[in-house]
Amino acid sequence: MSSPSIAAAAAEVLPQAARRRTFAVISHPDAGKSTLTEALALHARVIGQAGAVHGKAGRRGTVSDWMDMEKARGISITSAALQFEYRDAVVNLLDTPGHADFSEDTYRVLTAVDAAVMLIDAAKGLEAQTMKLFAVCRHRGIPVITVVNKWDRPGKDALELMDEVSERTGLVPTPLTWPVGIAGDFRGVLDRRDGSYHRFTRTAGGATIAPEEVLTAAAAEAREGVDWSRAVEEGELLDATEADHDQERFLAGETTPVIFASAVSNFGVGALLDVLVDLAPAPSGRPDADGAVRKLDDPFSAFVFKVQSGMDAAHRDRLAYIRICSGVFERGMVVTHATSGRPFATKYAQHVFGRERESVDVAYPGDVVGLVNANALSVGDTLYVDSKVQFPPLTTFAPEYFAVMRGRDTAKFKQFRRGIGQLASEGVAQVLRSDRRGDAAPVLAVVGPMQFEVAQHRMESEFGAPVELDRLSYTIAVRTDAASAPAVASSRGVEVLEREDGELLALFMDKWDLRSLQQRSPELTLEPLVAAQL
């Protein structure tokens, strides 16, 4: 890129950043995140036909769930990043795993977004993982738009769901649309902003955009009768409780706009896209590790929030997802890796749409860019140009499950080591080692047991190194130091291992063993790991 074009791109930073909407879709498992992601891409005309997570005959799988295990199980295991334009906005949409075993991946993604779309199953309401994610959003100051999904199936009463959101999250729900027809008989929605009726028509299998007809209140009453009257009456109850959208309160994390939808039928999805463009915040300056704000038009800076390999079976490459925080990104630019101080060339930079990619020449604050073959980068790393910056490290969660991993074929030890290193750098598992166990038998420490299945599957399918896992009886890991390690390791039922980043972790069978040692030897360093910064 020539100097004049660089200067022109720099002048565009603020207006381009203002166009960006970067958000995550989050929820409890099986609430419909990947289906909604697919439906949003369909409504933005990025794809011609929506896929299904649980494959129906004649309907392809979702773009965002590309891993073999995701297709087989019908759940999201990894986060996926999609970028597309809608109206005058550039949308960066991150689909996340819902299963608690992969919550660490979801929490990292939440560091990279400016808003969140929370899905609630109309029948199940607020589930355990949903509540945890609401709490994380509150802690991080992330505004939340709520989607009551699956209204085409039998479920709870709409007003009952609003009470549940209010009582359990502390957020005031401010419905923008209100369902016409009870859960299981979804006709359309009353738009509370102008009183109009948006009537939906089903399409074959829900694979294409559902036709939407806009009617006046009088026409709606003539067509829907008592269902319309009930929706209007309930809307008047909401008016009486002042459940109307207030942009300042929404951005302050006091309220949550609500949309009623059926992602699998593509009902209400267009309204959600419009709400995201109209109400979700654009990127703003981001605090660095010292609390100083890196302004949007400062020189380029970004941080790595995810590393993923195995997306391209033909090339076995490694993709580092970065969230741009300031300045202009230009493909080929040389940036500084804050951790090592070394230069890093961004020759291969791509926008990512599920497993599909296209090269990116220029990107702006709020954008998510994939850097290919970024072997020097790990989750949490900062990249910058000119003025130095270091963004806060990402949370490392306290593992609760532990297993020894061994290769089944000694001739493939090189592939085994490479695979273990890759899993560690991606944050799929924490890899712990000790002289006693040796390099051939590292201990994998994870938040949820399904991560073991993912690690085992990937070791064989991506790295050609079949492995076996032997579960250990430890349930707690705490941080210790070199001075305390010998005494800690000599205690009965305790093992001290070193993590990839050099931290020493002491593994205990249960909390009683840990407390007993702390009481006997209070001088020893035994510090809790962060479970979640809520």
Side-chain angles (χ1 to χ4, degrees), residues 37 50 54 60 71 85 115 128 186 196-197 202 215 219 248 255 264 270 321 330 476 478 497 501 522:
T37 297
H54 301 282
R60 65 176 180 78
K71 295 174 182 177
E85 293 195 14
F186 197 6
S196 63
Y197 175 42
R202 291 184 179 276
L215 304 176
E248 289 187 8
T255 67
V264 75
Y321 289 86
E330 308 147 32
I476 295 176
V478 296
L497 300 103
D501 60 1

Side-chain angles (χ1 to χ4, degrees), residues 367-380:
D367 282 341
V368 171
V369 174
L371 300 180
V372 182
N373 291 329
N375 295 323
L377 302 183
S378 297
V379 171

Side-chain angles (χ1 to χ4, degrees), residues 326-345:
S326 65
V328 183
F329 173 85
E330 308 147 32
R331 182 166 57 90
M333 70 190 300
V334 177
V335 301
T336 300
H337 180 215
T339 303
S340 65
R342 296 174 180 172
F344 179 86

Side-chain angles (χ1 to χ4, degrees), residues 41-53:
L42 175 69
H43 277 261
R45 305 301 199 274
V46 180
I47 57 177
Q49 188 180 62
V53 174

Side-chain angles (χ1 to χ4, degrees), residues 190-361:
L190 161 66
D191 189 324
R192 293 188 63 228
R193 293 161 292 186
D194 61 13
S196 63
Y197 175 42
H198 294 246
R199 183 176 183 274
F200 304 125
T201 301
R202 291 184 179 276
T203 61
T208 56
I209 293 176
E212 186 173 322
E213 184 181 3
V214 181
L215 304 176
T216 64
E221 184 174 14
R223 180 181 288 246
E224 303 296 352
V226 66
D227 289 310
W228 174 257
S229 299
R230 184 187 301 112
V232 171
E233 288 172 8
E234 291 176 340
E236 290 171 350
L237 284 175
L238 295 170
D239 292 338
T241 59
E242 299 182 350
D244 297 323
H245 175 73
D246 181 295
Q247 185 69 2
E248 289 187 8
R249 294 187 68 199
F250 163 57
L251 295 179
E254 298 174 9
T255 67
T256 176
V258 180
I259 294 286
F260 284 79
S262 167
V264 75
S265 300
N266 292 303
F267 289 3
V269 177
L272 175 59
L273 262 179
D274 288 327
V275 166
L276 283 164
V277 171
D278 294 336
L279 304 184
S284 58
R286 182 170 289 258
D288 63 18
D290 297 323
V293 175
R294 183 82 164 189
K295 295 185 294 184
L296 295 176
D297 54 358
D298 281 342
F300 169 81
S301 66
F303 68 92
V304 180
F305 67 91
K306 179 177 176 61
V307 175
Q308 181 72 56
S309 69
M311 295 181 73
D312 188 338
H315 298 98
R316 298 293 186 192
D317 58 5
R318 186 170 185 262
L319 196 71
Y321 289 86
I322 61 170
R323 152 73 190 235
I324 299 175
C325 301
S326 65
V328 183
F329 173 85
E330 308 147 32
R331 182 166 57 90
M333 70 190 300
V334 177
V335 301
T336 300
H337 180 215
T339 303
S340 65
R342 296 174 180 172
F344 179 86
T346 61
K347 182 179 180 182
Y348 302 106
Q350 299 173 336
H351 282 315
V352 182
F353 187 85
R355 202 173 192 171
E356 301 168 14
R357 315 177 190 179
E358 63 178 26
S359 293
V360 56
D361 292 319

